[in-house]
Amino acid sequence: MSQIIISGMEFRSFHGFYAEEQMIGNTFIVDLTLTLSQNNAENTDDLSHTINYEQVYKIVKREMEITSKLLEHVAHRIKSAIKIEFPTLLEIEITLKKMNPPLGGKVNFVAIKL
């Protein structure tokens, strides 16, 4: 087995429960760990034998552009879209962070991990 890690994808998006969050927006950070049963790219040096990082990024970007109230919903959509595009993945772990959430005090981020 092998894992591909894509860390620190940063987006300006408009997710949040409150209407103000959906108007003002916030910074979100996405980290992914993709688990493959076999990664033949290490032997073949052929992109078709692994997961294309650029395609994964485009999927995440597309889903981050769709406003949602809950981080759980956004993270689930991202996982589902990646699984559809790359059905051979064994596991997808996503961490979605909302930076500086409006909780009434200083908080670096809140996050959901699926």
Side-chain angles (χ1 to χ4, degrees), residues 2-49:
S2 63
Q3 292 185 319
I4 293 171
I5 299 167
I6 305 173
S7 181
M9 291 178 275
E10 186 172 321
F11 302 93
R12 179 76 181 170
S13 297
F14 299 88
H15 309 301
F17 180 76
Y18 299 105
E20 310 86 65
E21 293 179 281
Q22 294 183 9
M23 289 173 40
I24 296 168
N26 205 333
T27 300
F28 295 83
I29 308 292
V30 179
D31 300 321
L32 290 173
T33 301
L34 310 173
T35 303
L36 301 84
S37 63
Q38 188 175 356
N39 190 345
N40 288 326
E42 59 196 43
N43 296 318
T44 65
D45 199 26
D46 185 340
L47 181 60
S48 68
H49 292 156

Side-chain angles (χ1 to χ4, degrees), residues 46-113:
D46 185 340
L47 181 60
S48 68
H49 292 156
T50 189
I51 302 299
N52 185 321
Y53 312 157
E54 184 179 9
Q55 283 181 282
V56 173
Y57 179 85
K58 286 179 180 179
I59 292 167
V60 175
K61 182 177 186 293
R62 180 187 71 218
E63 294 300 324
M64 288 300 292
E65 290 172 349
I66 301 169
T67 300
S68 293
K69 292 181 182 177
L70 301 177
L71 295 181
E72 292 88 343
H73 184 69
V74 180
H76 177 73
R77 279 200 336 264
I78 292 169
K79 278 187 68 169
S80 296
I82 291 171
K83 187 63 176 169
I84 289 168
E85 184 72 24
F86 302 103
T88 59
L89 285 172
L90 296 178
E91 186 175 308
I92 302 168
E93 180 180 284
I94 181 171
T95 302
L96 174 57
K97 297 177 186 174
K98 180 184 212 174
M99 308 309 289
N100 302 305
L103 298 181
K106 173 99 173 96
V107 177
N108 289 336
F109 66 86
V110 295
I112 183 73
K113 182 182 275 192

